[in-house]
Amino acid sequence: MSVIWNPPLDPQASAWRDKAADLTARAFAPAAAAIDRDQRYPVEHLEPLRESGISGLFIPAEYGGAGASLTSLVAVVETVAQGCASTAAILAALSLGAFPVILGGSAEQKMVLLGGLARDGHAVNFALSERGAGSDAAALLTTAVPEGEGWRIRGEKCWLGNGGHSRHFIVFARTGEPGARNNISAFVVDRDASGVVVDHYEDKMGIRGTTTTNLKLDTWVGAESVVGTLGEGLKLALATLSIGRVVVAAQANGIALCSYAEARDFAVQRQTFGRSIIDHQGVGFKLADAATALSSSRMMTYEAARAYDAGQDIGTLGAMAKLLASETSHSVVDDAMQILAGRGYVKPSAVERCYRDQRITEIYEGTSEIQRVVLARAIKKSAGAAAQR
């Protein structure tokens, strides 16, 4: 019997989770330490992800995907993250790049981009962040200026997860004056287009099997490259990030579950002063707190996914899920490291790797501070609405 709460999945989500668990046990987890050590993109994982349908499970069926629920995607990412956080991060980046197209793309864009991802694993990348415009996405400096029958895009993007292995980019650029309303638009940019340069592969602390890059742009795109409504790009980006936050929450939970299992098993087996160290309250209480916190963060994450699948707005709930899961993961992994002590601190300990992999979940798709800003604004709005009733 598991002490930690497990989600009651429908048959579809359960089948996807089981498929992910099998692949993780056979292929992803055994390679995780070497991938991390060598900071190597696991190209050998792409084919089984594609063949199994996992890499395109969230793509609508009419474009070659499985049309699976967000709950299914959450279950898969959480499961894969327990074995290899880098592979889970690759899956998360695939969905992050695809969702702007799912939410706002034209029929042709969906056929080309989503179909290419589902059939051939051709990744689409979410290119929003800049060196001076991370948390403050509205401050981006990349511009798109009308030129002929299209747009001239100039600027530089950073922190592109999967950037080194993406075929297309959804680039967010200013199409109006700084500070104006509705002045950001989204564009499809082909990696092979003239004036598109992917460079500067980051040397990262964790999720070292992903390729995080810069993107330099001085390129022309046709008018048909606009994704969604001109000037509404920031709304599209924020809607995408609301979904992405739930996926990151699942990743954070998976990393924490891995560390918890390592610490639990060690605490039961390790003997000091004539008994298992879990029988010492200093250790047992840490695991009790971890099980409770992990149950809570999983409940909120799966509830956010369920709400999205039911057609509800998850702006607030997604921020809560990401905040709770990422910070819970931090504390669970930290306590696991303390329980394993020296054995957890040295490589190739899974907990040592999780300790580094976990940290990014508190940063990307909006830092913990930004989640609190989102929630504070929601509280203020709710209070104002209540006062008017």
Side-chain angles (χ1 to χ4, degrees):
M1 183 188 75
S2 174
V3 174
I4 295 176
W5 176 86
N6 281 311
L9 300 178
D10 63 26
Q12 180 198 60
S14 182
W16 282 114
R17 181 189 60 189
D18 292 346
K19 187 177 292 190
D22 177 65
L23 270 178
T24 300
R26 288 191 294 106
F28 305 154
I35 289 167
D36 172 76
R37 181 192 64 227
D38 300 336
Q39 194 164 204
R40 179 181 63 79
Y41 189 83
V43 291
E44 69 275 18
H45 292 175
L46 300 183
E47 190 63 17
L49 285 172
R50 187 187 64 78
E51 287 185 348
S52 66
I54 286 176
S55 62
L57 71 91
F58 48 87
I59 302 297
E62 58 265 38
Y63 303 109
S69 62
L70 183 59
T71 299
S72 298
L73 177 59
V74 161
V76 165
V77 169
E78 181 187 70
T79 300
V80 174
Q82 292 179 60
C84 180
S86 288
T87 304
I90 289 169
L91 282 173
L94 289 176
S95 65
L96 186 68
F99 269 110
V101 184
I102 294 172
L103 296 175
S106 66
E108 182 178 357
Q109 288 169 346
K110 290 176 179 179
M111 188 64 67
V112 172
L113 301 179
L114 301 182
L117 175 56
R119 290 189 310 270
D120 307 310
H122 293 165
V124 183
N125 194 274
F126 183 79
L128 175 66
S129 293
E130 301 177 3
R131 297 288 171 185
S135 295
D136 183 8
L140 59 83
L141 298 178
T142 297
T143 58
V145 178
E147 182 178 302
E149 297 298 317
W151 299 82
R152 171 65 57 177
I153 302 178
R154 291 188 177 95
E156 184 172 349
K157 297 295 182 176
C158 64
W159 318 126
L160 275 65
N162 268 6
H165 292 80
S166 294
R167 182 65 63 88
H168 295 90
F169 300 88
I170 306 301
V171 174
F172 294 84
R174 278 199 294 108
T175 48
E177 292 301 315
R181 293 187 61 190
N182 303 327
N183 69 338
I184 294 174
S185 303
F187 300 85
V188 178
V189 176
D190 192 309
R191 183 193 181 109
D192 295 329
S194 176
V196 176
V197 178
V198 175
D199 68 357
H200 188 64
Y201 285 59
E202 301 286 354
D203 184 0
K204 303 190 297 296
M205 171 184 174
I207 56 168
R208 288 168 60 82
T210 62
T211 53
T212 304
T213 67
N214 273 17
L215 176 68
K216 293 178 180 176
L217 300 152
D218 187 350
T219 191
W220 182 89
V221 298
E224 72 281 358
S225 295
V226 176
V227 182
T229 304
L230 193 68
E232 300 291 333
L234 187 57
K235 291 181 181 178
L236 181 62
L238 295 177
T240 299
L241 288 170
S242 289
I243 303 167
R245 286 165 181 164
V246 182
V247 178
V248 171
Q251 182 189 5
N253 288 335
I255 295 170
L257 285 165
C258 173
S259 295
Y260 167 82
E262 292 282 328
R264 176 202 61 204
D265 293 349
F266 180 79
V268 170
Q269 296 164 11
R270 172 69 166 156
Q271 298 280 321
T272 63
F273 306 103
R275 55 180 175 168
S276 298
I277 63 172
I278 195 172
D279 294 325
H280 300 291
Q281 289 184 351
V283 173
F285 283 10
K286 288 183 187 299
L287 289 166
D289 289 344
T292 303
L294 257 173
S295 294
S296 299
S297 65
R298 293 186 84 198
M299 287 177 186
M300 180 161 281
T301 301
Y302 279 95
E303 173 58 20
R306 184 211 61 77
Y308 178 83
D309 292 334
Q312 299 172 20
D313 182 349
I314 60 166
T316 300
L317 191 56
M320 287 181 174
K322 202 263 190 183
L323 176 63
L324 179 62
S326 63
E327 296 197 347
T328 292
S329 186
H330 185 128
S331 64
V332 170
V333 175
D334 191 68
D335 281 346
M337 175 73 74
Q338 196 69 18
I339 290 170
L340 269 74
R343 297 191 191 189
Y345 189 74
V346 298
K347 300 176 190 293
S349 161
V351 171
E352 185 274 338
R353 188 175 70 250
C354 288
Y355 194 87
R356 291 180 287 106
D357 288 337
Q358 176 280 326
R359 195 61 181 85
I360 191 61
T361 67
E362 297 173 81
I363 297 172
Y364 60 13
E365 262 82 308
T367 63
S368 293
E369 290 76 14
I370 287 298
Q371 307 313 316
R372 289 182 168 91
V373 168
V374 170
L375 295 172
R377 288 173 178 169
I379 293 168
K380 181 179 179 181
K381 183 178 179 180
S382 174
Q388 294 175 3
R389 287 200 293 268

